Amino acid sequence: MKSMLIFLLYASSVCWQVGATLSKTDAKKLQKVEAQSSPAELSVLDRGLVVADVQWKDIVKEERRYCAHIKKTFEGPVLGYITPWNAHGYDIAKQFGSKLSSVSPVWLQLRRRAPGTFDVTGLHDHDAGWVKAVRKSNKKVRMVPRVLFDGWSYQDYMSVFGSEDEIEELSGELVDVAKTEGFDGFTLELWSQLGGNKRKELIHLVKHICETLNAKKLDCILVIPPAVTSAGTPGMFGREEFEELAPVVDGFSLMTYDYSSGPRAGPSSPLSWIRDCVLQLAPNTQWRQKILLGMNLYGLDFSSHGTEPVLGGRYIEILREQRPKILWDEYSAEHHFSYKSSAVKHVVYYPSLKSIHMRISLATELGTGISLWEMGQGLDYFYDLL
């Protein structure tokens, strides 16, 4: 599962004086900003780019310039998601593999074909050459593809919950696939499918899967929804479930994003909400290191026509076209701006160096790890901060 600056080499006062004597066409030419793509000797922190008062020109100019000296600075575990429909994510994982603890390609689906019969599909997406390249950049990285419980009916769940033999078969199928394909475990996505119902049964199923995987030295990561909804009510996964599963689950990929996903413009993951979600699960520090605080590397474009996701390339296009004034929201610790297109007002929230740095600092303070949804959606220089 989602920016910033280098100051112009000439003084802004001179720019204003020159602009006053130019035609509108010439002034627009002057506004053209050339993106720099060669790696930098210094990190974005050392270059003074992590600021609240960010200018669109500095983002456009600097976003491809990550530090040439790639070294992990965040001390906790980092899980990065990769999707087949975003080729840039594959390149990012190879480039910054040394900063990752685990990589979760979104390749696989677990299907129940018949009672006691399970198939893992999506293996055609397994790119062995790419996996080898990622492992070359970091020999310790764990390859834990996401497995989506796909196409399951309510009755499928009920049948599996009620049969230890089916649970055994399901767990065994995952072990067989991991061993055959050379995976280091799996990232399980099933909790939200039942809308918060049958929690005890889900706990029993997840426990059994994780214990089976762990016995074969395979990792078991569980995707979990936020513990607190955007309305402030308890979510579908809380402290009780966390404490039951923490001894056997290797990591909890916490989806602390999409806070504002409706028609009303707002932040993706307010900082205070992220903190609350973590502390609701783990008020004590015993298992907190297993929480992988979710960070979105995508943004959202809100308008009366709907809400659209914004990836890095599109974000840069909007900045070039609209040249907006970017504002910092102290409450959510996120940057945003507005623009008009065909007389329709748009509001865009997109991650920035400042917002990401504050979330990494929060993860450090709380003693959690980080999960990134998804690699390749953000800007390349974001990875300097990890």
Side-chain angles (χ1 to χ4, degrees), residues 21-128:
T21 64
L22 297 175
S23 69
K24 288 185 178 180
T25 301
D26 287 338
K28 283 186 177 180
K29 287 181 180 177
L30 189 67
Q31 293 267 13
K32 260 188 138 176
V33 177
E34 293 298 324
Q36 298 186 11
S37 57
S38 58
E41 280 299 307
L42 300 176
S43 74
V44 291
L45 282 166
D46 293 331
R47 280 155 39 212
L49 303 183
V50 185
V51 296
D53 184 20
V54 61
Q55 306 299 312
W56 71 268
K57 293 180 184 180
D58 299 320
I59 299 173
V60 170
K61 186 176 181 181
E62 293 291 325
E63 52 99 6
R64 295 181 186 175
R65 298 193 70 218
Y66 55 85
C67 181
H69 310 289
I70 299 173
K71 183 181 179 182
K72 188 172 186 281
T73 55
F74 176 67
E75 293 184 358
V78 177
L79 167 68
Y81 287 96
I82 303 292
T83 59
W85 51 86
N86 189 341
H88 188 49
Y90 284 81
D91 295 332
I92 290 292
K94 290 187 292 185
Q95 185 70 43
F96 298 102
S98 61
K99 292 175 176 275
L100 304 172
S101 310
S102 304
V103 177
S104 185
V106 179
W107 289 337
L108 309 180
Q109 305 83 37
L110 179 69
R111 303 182 189 276
R112 182 176 182 261
R113 300 298 188 189
T117 304
F118 301 90
D119 286 337
V120 173
T121 59
L123 290 168
H124 61 277
D125 283 322
H126 178 195
D127 186 338

Side-chain angles (χ1 to χ4, degrees), residues 6 63 68 74 87 99 121-122 146 156 184 190 237 247 299 304 324 329:
I6 208 181
E63 52 99 6
F74 176 67
K99 292 175 176 275
T121 59
R146 190 196 71 171
D156 284 329
D184 300 306
L190 75 159
F237 188 95
S304 58
D329 177 5

Side-chain angles (χ1 to χ4, degrees), residues 35-309:
Q36 298 186 11
S37 57
S38 58
E41 280 299 307
L42 300 176
S43 74
V44 291
L45 282 166
D46 293 331
R47 280 155 39 212
L49 303 183
V50 185
V51 296
D53 184 20
V54 61
Q55 306 299 312
W56 71 268
K57 293 180 184 180
D58 299 320
I59 299 173
V60 170
K61 186 176 181 181
E62 293 291 325
E63 52 99 6
R64 295 181 186 175
R65 298 193 70 218
Y66 55 85
C67 181
H69 310 289
I70 299 173
K71 183 181 179 182
K72 188 172 186 281
T73 55
F74 176 67
E75 293 184 358
V78 177
L79 167 68
Y81 287 96
I82 303 292
T83 59
W85 51 86
N86 189 341
H88 188 49
Y90 284 81
D91 295 332
I92 290 292
K94 290 187 292 185
Q95 185 70 43
F96 298 102
S98 61
K99 292 175 176 275
L100 304 172
S101 310
S102 304
V103 177
S104 185
V106 179
W107 289 337
L108 309 180
Q109 305 83 37
L110 179 69
R111 303 182 189 276
R112 182 176 182 261
R113 300 298 188 189
T117 304
F118 301 90
D119 286 337
V120 173
T121 59
L123 290 168
H124 61 277
D125 283 322
H126 178 195
D127 186 338
W130 170 77
V131 171
K132 184 178 179 180
V134 175
R135 293 193 190 279
K136 185 177 180 181
S137 69
N138 181 357
K139 293 180 181 179
K140 294 182 179 180
V141 73
R142 306 286 286 177
M143 198 61 58
V144 286
R146 190 196 71 171
V147 178
L148 177 67
F149 283 50
D150 194 33
W152 285 49
S153 67
Y154 182 79
Q155 188 54 49
D156 284 329
Y157 279 105
M158 293 306 102
S159 297
V160 171
F161 290 155
S163 171
E164 292 300 316
D165 289 341
E166 288 220 45
I167 294 175
E168 286 279 356
E169 289 292 335
L170 186 162
S171 304
E173 175 67 14
L174 291 176
V175 169
D176 290 345
V177 170
K179 294 300 184 183
T180 301
E181 300 293 326
F183 299 144
D184 300 306
F186 295 102
T187 300
L188 308 176
E189 183 161 356
L190 75 159
W191 196 273
S192 297
Q193 266 83 324
L194 290 175
N197 297 310
K198 300 296 178 180
R199 297 191 193 189
K200 288 185 178 180
E201 291 84 352
L202 280 169
I203 287 172
H204 178 71
L205 174 61
V206 171
K207 268 187 177 180
H208 195 109
I209 294 172
C210 289
E211 286 170 351
T212 303
L213 292 174
N214 292 164
K216 300 296 183 180
K217 301 189 184 315
L218 298 170
D219 295 346
C220 185
I221 295 172
L222 179 64
V223 179
I224 58 172
V228 182
T229 69
S230 57
T233 58
M236 293 186 287
F237 188 95
R239 179 179 176 182
E240 182 179 348
E241 291 77 30
F242 176 77
E243 291 181 347
E244 281 258 19
L245 290 171
V248 295
V249 172
D250 295 297
F252 295 86
S253 182
L254 177 60
M255 297 190 291
T256 36
Y257 36 78
D258 288 344
Y259 181 86
S260 305
S261 55
R264 185 176 179 180
S268 294
S269 58
L271 200 64
S272 59
W273 174 67
I274 298 175
R275 178 189 293 275
D276 195 19
C277 285
V278 171
L279 295 181
Q280 286 293 327
L281 291 177
N284 304 312
T285 60
Q286 182 183 6
W287 301 110
R288 202 185 287 168
Q289 77 278 5
K290 291 192 174 188
I291 296 174
L292 304 172
L293 187 153
M295 292 200 318
N296 58 293
L297 297 180
Y298 62 89
L300 293 172
D301 185 330
F302 299 87
S303 75
S304 58
H305 291 171
T307 303
E308 297 291 334

